[in-house]
Amino acid sequence: PEQRDITLLDPQTGADKVLQVDWNSSLKLRPLESRARPCGYWLAASASTAIERLSLLGVQVLRVAEQGTLLADSYQQTGGSAVTPQEALATLNGQSSPQRVQVALVRSAIDVPAGSYYVPLNQPLASLVVAALEPDTQSSYFAHRVIGDLSDTARIMATPALIFEETE
Protein backbone atom coordinates (compact mmCIF):
# COMPACT_ATOMS: atom_id res chain seq x y z
CA PRO A 1 0.00 0.00 0.00
CA GLU A 2 1.17 3.49 -0.80
CA GLN A 3 -0.11 6.94 -1.73
CA ARG A 4 -0.26 8.07 -5.37
CA ASP A 5 -1.16 11.32 -7.09
CA ILE A 6 -3.57 10.88 -10.00
CA THR A 7 -4.80 13.57 -12.34
CA LEU A 8 -8.56 13.78 -12.84
CA LEU A 9 -10.87 16.25 -14.53
CA ASP A 10 -12.87 18.53 -12.29
CA PRO A 11 -16.52 17.85 -13.31
CA GLN A 12 -17.54 21.50 -12.83
CA THR A 13 -14.66 23.36 -14.47
CA GLY A 14 -13.08 20.75 -16.74
CA ALA A 15 -9.67 21.66 -15.33
CA ASP A 16 -7.07 19.09 -14.33
CA LYS A 17 -7.27 18.25 -10.65
CA VAL A 18 -4.58 16.29 -8.80
CA LEU A 19 -5.94 13.96 -6.15
CA GLN A 20 -3.91 11.87 -3.69
CA VAL A 21 -5.31 8.35 -3.32
CA ASP A 22 -4.51 5.12 -1.49
CA TRP A 23 -2.91 2.72 -3.93
CA ASN A 24 -2.22 -1.01 -3.67
CA SER A 25 0.76 -1.21 -5.96
CA SER A 26 1.55 -4.38 -7.85
CA LEU A 27 4.83 -2.81 -8.96
CA LYS A 28 6.61 -3.95 -5.79
CA LEU A 29 5.42 -7.53 -5.30
CA ARG A 30 6.58 -9.51 -2.32
CA PRO A 31 5.73 -13.04 -1.26
CA LEU A 32 3.30 -13.22 1.62
CA GLU A 33 3.92 -16.91 2.19
CA SER A 34 6.35 -19.45 0.81
CA ARG A 35 6.44 -23.22 1.04
CA ALA A 36 8.89 -25.93 0.05
CA ARG A 37 8.02 -27.25 -3.40
CA PRO A 38 6.54 -30.76 -3.29
CA CYS A 39 7.43 -33.63 -5.66
CA GLY A 40 3.79 -33.78 -6.71
CA TYR A 41 0.21 -33.88 -5.51
CA TRP A 42 -2.04 -36.75 -4.49
CA LEU A 43 -5.74 -36.51 -5.34
CA ALA A 44 -8.53 -38.76 -4.10
CA ALA A 45 -10.52 -40.77 -6.64
CA SER A 46 -13.51 -38.54 -5.79
CA ALA A 47 -11.65 -35.54 -7.32
CA SER A 48 -12.39 -36.81 -10.83
CA THR A 49 -13.50 -33.41 -12.13
CA ALA A 50 -10.13 -31.90 -11.16
CA ILE A 51 -8.34 -34.83 -12.80
CA GLU A 52 -10.36 -34.35 -16.01
CA ARG A 53 -9.55 -30.63 -16.12
CA LEU A 54 -5.85 -31.17 -15.53
CA SER A 55 -5.75 -33.85 -18.23
CA LEU A 56 -7.56 -31.58 -20.70
CA LEU A 57 -4.90 -28.93 -20.06
CA GLY A 58 -2.17 -31.42 -21.02
CA VAL A 59 -0.98 -32.23 -17.49
CA GLN A 60 0.39 -35.73 -16.91
CA VAL A 61 -1.79 -37.49 -14.34
CA LEU A 62 -0.97 -40.96 -13.00
CA ARG A 63 -3.50 -43.34 -11.44
CA VAL A 64 -2.31 -45.29 -8.40
CA ALA A 65 -2.46 -48.97 -9.42
CA GLU A 66 -1.65 -50.50 -6.01
CA GLN A 67 -2.25 -49.19 -2.50
CA GLY A 68 0.75 -47.60 -0.80
CA THR A 69 2.02 -45.04 1.69
CA LEU A 70 3.43 -41.59 0.92
CA LEU A 71 5.12 -38.85 2.94
CA ALA A 72 2.75 -35.92 2.52
CA ASP A 73 1.73 -32.52 3.78
CA SER A 74 -2.02 -32.54 4.31
CA TYR A 75 -4.04 -29.35 4.55
CA GLN A 76 -5.78 -28.31 7.74
CA GLN A 77 -8.08 -25.30 7.57
CA THR A 78 -7.11 -22.64 10.09
CA GLY A 79 -9.44 -19.87 8.95
CA GLY A 80 -11.22 -18.18 6.12
CA SER A 81 -12.42 -14.73 5.31
CA ALA A 82 -15.97 -13.56 5.73
CA VAL A 83 -18.14 -13.34 2.65
CA THR A 84 -18.35 -9.77 1.33
CA PRO A 85 -21.73 -8.26 0.39
CA GLN A 86 -20.76 -8.47 -3.30
CA GLU A 87 -19.99 -12.19 -2.93
CA ALA A 88 -23.29 -12.81 -1.15
CA LEU A 89 -25.15 -10.98 -3.94
CA ALA A 90 -23.26 -12.98 -6.60
CA THR A 91 -24.23 -16.21 -4.85
CA LEU A 92 -27.89 -15.12 -4.75
CA ASN A 93 -27.72 -14.39 -8.49
CA GLY A 94 -26.47 -17.91 -9.19
CA GLN A 95 -22.83 -16.92 -9.60
CA SER A 96 -20.27 -18.74 -7.52
CA SER A 97 -17.58 -16.65 -5.88
CA PRO A 98 -14.28 -18.23 -4.84
CA GLN A 99 -14.12 -19.57 -1.31
CA ARG A 100 -11.15 -18.28 0.62
CA VAL A 101 -9.38 -20.38 3.20
CA GLN A 102 -6.26 -20.25 5.27
CA VAL A 103 -4.47 -23.55 5.75
CA ALA A 104 -1.68 -25.08 7.77
CA LEU A 105 0.37 -28.01 6.55
CA VAL A 106 0.49 -31.20 8.60
CA ARG A 107 3.28 -33.62 7.63
CA SER A 108 2.53 -37.33 8.00
CA ALA A 109 2.56 -40.62 6.16
CA ILE A 110 -0.73 -41.12 4.33
CA ASP A 111 -2.22 -44.29 2.93
CA VAL A 112 -3.19 -43.87 -0.71
CA PRO A 113 -5.70 -46.32 -2.14
CA ALA A 114 -5.59 -47.83 -5.60
CA GLY A 115 -7.66 -45.72 -7.98
CA SER A 116 -6.52 -42.39 -6.50
CA TYR A 117 -4.21 -40.10 -8.49
CA TYR A 118 -0.70 -38.67 -8.42
CA VAL A 119 0.26 -35.54 -10.35
CA PRO A 120 4.06 -35.24 -10.61
CA LEU A 121 5.75 -31.85 -10.77
CA ASN A 122 8.61 -32.94 -13.03
CA GLN A 123 6.69 -31.85 -16.13
CA PRO A 124 6.45 -28.67 -18.20
CA LEU A 125 3.06 -27.62 -16.73
CA ALA A 126 4.19 -27.94 -13.11
CA SER A 127 3.49 -24.28 -12.28
CA LEU A 128 -0.07 -24.67 -13.57
CA VAL A 129 -0.51 -27.72 -11.32
CA VAL A 130 0.69 -25.77 -8.27
CA ALA A 131 -1.68 -22.88 -9.03
CA ALA A 132 -4.60 -25.27 -9.44
CA LEU A 133 -3.98 -27.46 -6.41
CA GLU A 134 -2.81 -25.15 -3.61
CA PRO A 135 -6.18 -24.54 -1.90
CA ASP A 136 -5.42 -21.14 -0.40
CA THR A 137 -4.79 -19.44 -3.75
CA GLN A 138 -7.63 -17.45 -5.31
CA SER A 139 -7.58 -19.43 -8.57
CA SER A 140 -7.29 -22.92 -7.11
CA TYR A 141 -9.63 -25.78 -7.85
CA PHE A 142 -10.61 -25.84 -4.16
CA ALA A 143 -11.44 -22.12 -4.16
CA HIS A 144 -13.71 -22.65 -7.18
CA ARG A 145 -15.27 -25.81 -5.72
CA VAL A 146 -13.82 -28.20 -8.32
CA ILE A 147 -12.24 -30.07 -5.40
CA GLY A 148 -14.87 -30.44 -2.70
CA ASP A 149 -12.84 -31.14 0.42
CA LEU A 150 -9.33 -30.37 1.68
CA SER A 151 -8.86 -34.05 2.51
CA ASP A 152 -9.14 -34.88 -1.21
CA THR A 153 -5.65 -33.56 -1.91
CA ALA A 154 -2.18 -33.57 -0.35
CA ARG A 155 1.31 -32.36 -1.23
CA ILE A 156 3.70 -35.29 -1.74
CA MET A 157 7.09 -34.42 -0.25
CA ALA A 158 9.22 -37.45 -1.23
CA THR A 159 9.43 -39.22 -4.56
CA PRO A 160 6.78 -41.96 -4.43
CA ALA A 161 7.70 -45.61 -4.84
CA LEU A 162 4.27 -46.72 -6.04
CA ILE A 163 3.03 -48.51 -9.11
CA PHE A 164 1.17 -46.16 -11.45
CA GLU A 165 -0.80 -46.36 -14.64
CA GLU A 166 -1.07 -43.32 -16.87
CA THR A 167 -4.56 -41.87 -17.38
CA GLU A 168 -5.80 -41.04 -20.87
Side-chain angles (χ1 to χ4, degrees):
E2 58 186 45
Q3 295 280 317
R4 283 278 179 133
D5 291 335
I6 61 171
T7 304
L8 303 171
L9 290 178
D10 187 310
Q12 294 168 342
T13 65
D16 288 347
K17 180 179 181 179
V18 177
L19 183 65
Q20 190 174 50
V21 296
D22 291 328
W23 178 278
N24 290 326
S25 176
S26 59
L27 301 174
K28 301 173 189 172
L29 295 177
R30 61 181 169 71
L32 297 176
E33 186 172 339
S34 65
R35 297 179 178 144
R37 190 174 181 97
C39 296
Y41 290 86
W42 168 82
L43 290 163
S46 60
S48 58
T49 305
I51 295 302
E52 277 180 37
R53 288 189 182 188
L54 289 170
S55 295
L56 287 171
L57 292 168
V59 172
Q60 179 190 30
V61 178
L62 305 172
R63 179 176 289 145
V64 177
E66 294 181 12
Q67 179 177 337
T69 303
L70 298 174
L71 177 64
D73 285 346
S74 300
Y75 300 103
Q76 181 177 35
Q77 186 170 350
T78 58
S81 65
V83 175
T84 66
Q86 294 84 3
E87 292 171 335
L89 182 59
T91 303
L92 288 174
N93 291 332
Q95 300 168 348
S96 178
S97 60
Q99 57 186 346
R100 298 182 191 139
V101 295
Q102 295 169 348
V103 295
L105 300 177
V106 179
R107 178 137 324 155
S108 63
I110 62 169
D111 293 324
V112 295
S116 59
Y117 298 92
Y118 176 69
V119 183
L121 290 184
N122 60 347
Q123 58 180 305
L125 295 173
S127 295
L128 173 72
V129 173
V130 172
L133 297 181
E134 287 292 329
D136 52 351
T137 62
Q138 68 182 6
S139 299
S140 74
Y141 283 176
F142 180 77
H144 289 276
R145 296 169 183 83
V146 176
I147 295 176
D149 195 83
L150 286 176
S151 63
D152 289 344
T153 185
R155 307 168 93 240
I156 305 305
M157 302 309 291
T159 304
L162 297 174
I163 297 173
F164 298 110
E165 56 189 47
E166 195 161 343
T167 60
E168 298 167 3

